[in-house]
């Protein structure tokens, strides 16, 4: 029953809601240093570049810093569609250390699914 409700909800979502959902989940995972979670919402190019480099830096980061900088909150401020398979979201991130950080995140629709597209070599 729960699976059917989830399927119904996701099938009824508008494209804007789908973009906002992915942008939020990716940004929230990144803002909370959860790279494994972020991978679920990222294009292959993003995983191979941005998340690979983030993993390297995260391995060098003192865990006390991570604790002091979490949890993050994310607000999706707006969505702009360039095409039916390309969108840009504008978000605001807050953490205990950082306030009102503005984030621009590109998204691409791949195989019918919206994904964060944030590769290093854009």
């Amino acid at each position: 029953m729960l699976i059917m409700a989830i399927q119904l909800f996701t099938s009824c979502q508008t494209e804007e809601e789908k973009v906002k959902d992915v942008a939020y989940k990716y940004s929230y995972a990144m803002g909370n240093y959860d790279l494994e979670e972020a991978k679920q919402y990222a294009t292959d190019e993003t995983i191979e570049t941005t998340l690979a480099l983030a993993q390297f830096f995260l391995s060098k980061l003192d865990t006390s810093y991570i604790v002091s900088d979490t949890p993050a909150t994310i607000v999706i401020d707006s969505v702009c569609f360039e095409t039916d398979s390309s969108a840009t979201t504008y978000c605001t991130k807050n953490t205990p250390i950082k306030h009102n950080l503005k984030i621009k995140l590109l998204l691409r629709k791949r195989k019918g699914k919206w994904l964060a597209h944030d590769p290093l070599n854009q």
Side-chain angles (χ1 to χ4, degrees):
M1 184 72 156
L2 179 61
I3 303 268
M4 289 173 49
I6 291 170
Q7 289 174 336
L8 180 61
F9 173 73
T10 57
S11 65
C12 293
Q13 282 184 305
T14 66
E15 289 301 295
E16 183 174 350
E17 289 168 333
K18 290 175 185 177
V19 166
K20 284 181 177 181
D21 185 52
V22 170
Y24 175 82
K25 289 175 178 174
Y26 176 82
S27 298
Y28 182 81
M30 291 296 286
N32 286 291
Y33 303 89
D34 189 348
L35 303 182
E36 286 303 311
E37 180 72 12
K39 285 181 184 180
Q40 297 180 61
Y41 308 104
T43 61
D44 289 341
E45 302 94 326
T46 302
I47 293 167
E48 293 166 3
T49 61
T50 305
L51 294 178
L53 185 60
Q55 185 64 53
F56 170 77
F57 284 122
L58 192 57
S59 71
K60 307 295 181 199
L61 197 58
D62 185 351
T63 56
S64 66
Y65 177 80
I66 295 170
V67 170
S68 70
D69 195 39
T70 54
T73 59
I74 304 294
V75 175
I76 307 298
D77 299 315
S78 65
V79 175
C80 297
F81 285 90
E82 288 81 36
T83 68
D84 62 350
S85 61
S86 177
T88 303
T89 59
Y90 298 90
C91 314
T92 303
K93 172 183 154 184
N94 284 289
T95 72
I97 296 174
K98 302 174 198 101
H99 304 283
N100 293 317
L101 276 140
K102 300 299 179 184
I103 301 168
K104 176 182 173 182
L105 179 63
L106 304 177
L107 288 95
R108 299 291 182 264
K109 194 172 192 180
R110 304 268 173 89
K111 297 179 183 175
K113 184 177 176 183
W114 285 101
L115 298 168
H117 186 66
D118 190 25
L120 293 176
N121 55 349
Q122 294 185 49

